[in-house]
């Protein structure tokens, strides 16, 4: 008990990184349990910006241990680059980063496999992924025949043999499908990854055992979700999702820590909605409102730099993901971005072929036919970035936050009014 899970309830980029960083004061270990370098978590502290992708956000706090658990897919060059960049910013990894030896490894052919679908002449094949090799690596993991795990990198003879077999298979497949494909040299790939393995050696461990040791010692863990619940492979807007369990249901399979140890389940939401990549987005505002939100909220992807699609808050989709993720509270982020908009719309149900829909339909075609039914709330003119207490917020802003909590089905406990750690408001318990 005493552990916390922080997940996004929308389509990612809800500012999970800021919340994880904020709550580090009360936690000893931060755990990434799924996803990979497709994540981009930003933390701003005293004007300095830190960008984290594979490394758990907790690494920024010197008392915290950071664990990359078995459910994560790891691209060693990306991880080493990130470690070097953070070290250059003064972050110390000494004895504090732990990488699970059961985690799967992203290899160069995964990136080519992703290029194959993302650049296919059939638009139906494009998902608008981050092109970090995530989907192909998870496919190999679940397919079992071609999966390579971190532990495999420390058995050189077997690794060379294994890669010979896999690379031969992948080369034949990719050469047949990609006209400009340059075949991989299995031996060269093996040598490159053996070198990465040496660089990563100090961090490798049995992550599940490590986490259970921490629990036995009474340490408090924080599970840092990547992506968002609506991108969950089982529960999201399939097939426009990521390849992992990115809702809170992923904590146990990804870490080996049963959910019963977690008693605080924080669902992070933006005060509006964004989405990057393809897929349905009922409340999208491809107009002046959407452009304003993009401009004020600087809504461009951390990983790929792509402009994020922007729209109104969707309490149908978010209510659904709060139920799936078992949220006990929500953190409402980027509230400041809505200042100056006269009226704010919130989708409270959908209408489809004359019928009211109150949850997310499974079929993409059904979801695309859903039209949001909005409730309109008054906006506020004031800049709220300097607000530090609930009472500092204009009444319309407080009413808006309260309304979101009611419609999502769990109360707001935290409100964020700017990227910095101190631009945060704790909502009084009485709400
Ligand atoms: P994550 O992937 O969920 O961690 O979110 P990202 O880091 O990709 O995107 C959130 C962005 O919003 C980052 O650039 C944060 O610095 C920024 N941010 C976080 N909270 C606030 C806030 O309350 N207001 C504003 N304006 N920006 C915020
Ligand atoms: P964080 O942790 C927003 C999206 C991609 C694409 C889909 C599948 O920063 O919130 P993938 O590369 O995972 O196969 O892409 O998922 N996506 C994200 N969108 N934030 C993220 O991470 C994302 N990670 C993946 O844009 O639509
Ligand atoms: Mg992000």
């Amino acid at each position: 008990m005493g552990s916390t899970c922080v997940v996004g309830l929308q389509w990612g980029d809800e500012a999970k990184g800021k919340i994880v960083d904020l709550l580090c004061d009360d936690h000893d270990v931060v755990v990434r349990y799924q996803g990979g370098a497709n994540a981009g978590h930003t933390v701003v502290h005293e004007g300095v910006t830190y960008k984290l992708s594979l490394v758990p956000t907790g690494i920024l706090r010197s008392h915290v241990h950071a664990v990359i658990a078995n459910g994560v897919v790891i691209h060693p060059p990306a991880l080493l680059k990130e470690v070097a960049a953070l070290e250059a910013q003064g972050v110390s990894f000494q004895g504090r980063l732990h990488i699970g030896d059961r985690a799967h490894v992203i290899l160069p052919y995964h990136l080519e496999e992703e290029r194959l679908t993302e650049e296919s002449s059939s638009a139906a094949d494009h998902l608008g992924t981050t092109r970090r090799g995530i989907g192909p690596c998870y496919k190999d993991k679940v397919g079992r025949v071609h999966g390579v795990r971190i532990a495999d990198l420390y058995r050189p003879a077997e690794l060379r043999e294994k890669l010979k077999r896999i690379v031969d298979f992948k080369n034949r497949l990719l050469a047949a499908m990609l006209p400009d494909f340059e075949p991989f040299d299995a031996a060269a790939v093996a040598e490159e990854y053996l070198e990465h393995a040496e660089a990563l050696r100090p961090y490798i461990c049995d992550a599940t055992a490590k986490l259970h040791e921490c629990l036995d010692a009474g340490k408090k863990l924080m599970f840092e979700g990547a992506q968002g619940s609506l991108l969950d492979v089982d529960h999201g807007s399939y097939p426009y999702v990521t390849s992992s369990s990115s809702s809170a249901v992923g904590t146990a399979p990804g870490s080996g820590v049963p959910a019963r140890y977690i008693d605080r389940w924080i669902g992070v939401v933006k005060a509006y909605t964004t989405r990057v990549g393809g897929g349905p987005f009922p409340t999208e505002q491809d107009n002046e409102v959407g452009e304003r939100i993009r401009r004020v909220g600087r809504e461009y992807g951390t990983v790929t730099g792509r402009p994020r699609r922007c729209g109104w808050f969707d309490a149908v989709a978010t209510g659904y993901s709060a139920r799936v993720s078992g949220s006990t509270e929500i953190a409402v982020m980027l509230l400041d971005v809505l200042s100056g908009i006269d009226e704010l719309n919130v989708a409270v149900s959908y209408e489809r072929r004359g019928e009211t829909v109150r949850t997310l339909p499974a079929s993409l075609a059904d979801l695309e036919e859903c039209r949001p039914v909005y409730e309109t709330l008054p906006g506020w003119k004031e800049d709220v970035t300097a607000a530090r207490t609930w009472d500092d917020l204009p009444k319309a802003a407080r009413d808006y936050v309260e309304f979101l909590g009611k419609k999502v089905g769990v109360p707001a406990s935290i409100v964020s009014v700017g990227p910095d750690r101190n631009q945060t408001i704790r909502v009084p318990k009485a709400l």
Side-chain angles (χ1 to χ4, degrees):
M1 298 301 275
S3 293
T4 303
C5 168
V6 175
V7 290
L9 295 185
Q10 295 159 320
W11 280 288
D13 301 326
E14 299 90 347
K16 301 173 289 295
K18 172 171 169 170
I19 291 295
V20 171
D21 175 64
L22 193 74
L23 300 181
C24 273
D25 288 338
D26 303 327
H27 293 81
D28 308 291
V29 183
V30 174
V31 190
R32 274 284 308 273
Y33 56 91
Q34 47 70 231
N38 48 349
H41 298 179
T42 317
V43 174
V44 182
H45 191 221
E46 288 169 358
V48 183
T49 299
Y50 301 90
K51 292 196 180 291
L52 299 114
S53 193
L54 266 161
V55 175
T57 296
I59 202 75
L60 301 179
R61 303 295 200 97
S62 57
H63 72 281
V64 169
H65 281 250
V67 177
I68 300 179
N70 301 329
V72 174
V73 286
I74 298 175
H75 189 213
L79 177 56
L80 289 165
K81 202 167 149 196
E82 186 180 344
V83 169
L86 286 165
E87 279 180 335
Q89 282 193 291
V91 177
S92 158
F93 283 77
Q94 207 74 54
R96 293 199 299 123
L97 177 66
H98 312 278
I99 301 172
D101 53 7
R102 291 178 175 86
H104 277 249
V105 179
I106 297 181
L107 284 126
Y109 46 77
H110 289 133
L111 304 175
E112 285 296 275
E113 286 178 314
E114 191 158 17
R115 188 163 76 83
L116 178 63
T117 46
E118 288 296 303
E119 291 178 10
S120 144
S121 54
S122 159
D125 288 342
H126 308 171
L127 296 175
T129 70
T130 58
R131 304 231 195 164
R132 295 298 187 268
I134 306 294
C137 181
Y138 275 120
K139 247 195 238 179
D140 279 346
K141 167 179 172 168
V142 179
R144 295 153 298 160
V145 178
H146 294 143
V148 174
R149 301 197 295 174
I150 289 286
D152 297 329
L153 303 182
Y154 298 93
R155 303 193 67 93
E158 285 103 320
L159 181 73
R160 290 188 186 102
E161 278 311 303
K162 189 169 192 173
L163 282 178
K164 217 186 275 174
R165 175 175 63 80
I166 300 173
V167 168
D168 177 57
F169 180 94
K170 303 277 185 185
N171 274 347
R172 282 189 286 143
L173 193 79
L174 287 164
M177 305 283 288
L178 273 175
D180 60 345
F181 175 67
E182 294 276 340
F184 289 103
D185 173 349
V189 174
E191 293 323 303
E192 183 197 334
Y193 273 65
L194 286 169
E195 232 174 83
H196 296 323
E198 276 321 301
L200 292 175
R201 194 186 279 278
Y203 309 121
I204 308 303
C205 67
D206 179 335
T208 306
K210 173 108 206 144
L211 292 173
H212 281 272
E213 265 167 41
C214 292
L215 289 167
D216 291 345
K219 306 273 184 213
K220 282 192 182 177
L221 315 187
M222 180 155 40
F223 293 84
E224 176 178 4
Q227 292 77 59
S229 301
L230 298 173
L231 288 169
D232 185 290
V233 67
D234 289 297
H235 305 289
S237 50
Y238 191 88
Y240 291 96
V241 292
T242 191
S243 298
S244 67
S245 296
S246 55
S247 65
V249 301
T251 51
S255 68
V257 174
R260 71 183 168 88
Y261 288 99
I262 304 173
D263 48 22
R264 197 173 172 195
W265 300 84
I266 303 176
V268 187
V269 298
K270 277 180 175 160
Y272 46 92
T273 311
T274 63
R275 172 161 210 172
V276 52
F281 181 175
T283 60
E284 182 167 14
Q285 297 299 299
D286 194 8
N287 55 29
E288 253 175 49
V289 170
E291 277 161 29
R292 181 194 168 112
I293 291 175
R294 187 175 309 116
R295 179 169 42 81
V296 180
R298 299 203 184 92
E299 292 293 359
Y300 294 87
T302 316
V303 175
T304 57
R306 289 177 290 176
R308 294 176 183 148
R309 299 156 64 194
C310 300
W312 297 120
F313 190 89
D314 184 341
V316 182
T318 312
Y320 162 79
S321 50
R323 287 190 291 279
V324 168
S325 279
S327 305
T328 51
E329 59 196 276
I330 56 171
V332 178
M333 314 302 285
L334 294 105
L335 187 69
D336 52 299
V337 174
L338 298 182
S339 287
I341 300 180
D342 292 339
E343 290 187 322
L344 302 169
N345 287 332
V346 175
V348 293
S349 63
Y350 300 150
E351 187 270 334
R352 180 175 167 264
R353 301 185 178 196
E355 302 221 333
T356 300
V357 177
R358 296 197 190 278
T359 189
L360 213 60
S363 146
L364 201 62
D366 289 350
L367 183 54
E368 271 162 2
E369 282 175 9
C370 285
R371 299 284 158 261
V373 176
Y374 290 115
E375 269 193 46
T376 302
L377 283 85
W380 57 93
K381 295 229 171 320
E382 299 88 332
D383 175 359
V384 294
T385 53
R388 294 294 176 272
T389 69
W390 182 241
D391 291 332
D392 290 342
L393 289 173
K395 179 165 186 316
R398 282 184 270 145
D399 288 348
Y400 181 74
V401 170
E402 243 182 291
F403 184 80
L404 298 190
K406 286 217 170 80
K407 291 295 161 185
V408 171
V410 267
S413 59
I414 297 174
V415 174
S416 174
V417 292
D420 205 274
R421 203 183 278 167
N422 67 14
Q423 290 176 296
T424 312
I425 294 170
R426 310 278 176 163
V427 181
K429 274 246 165 11
L431 268 190

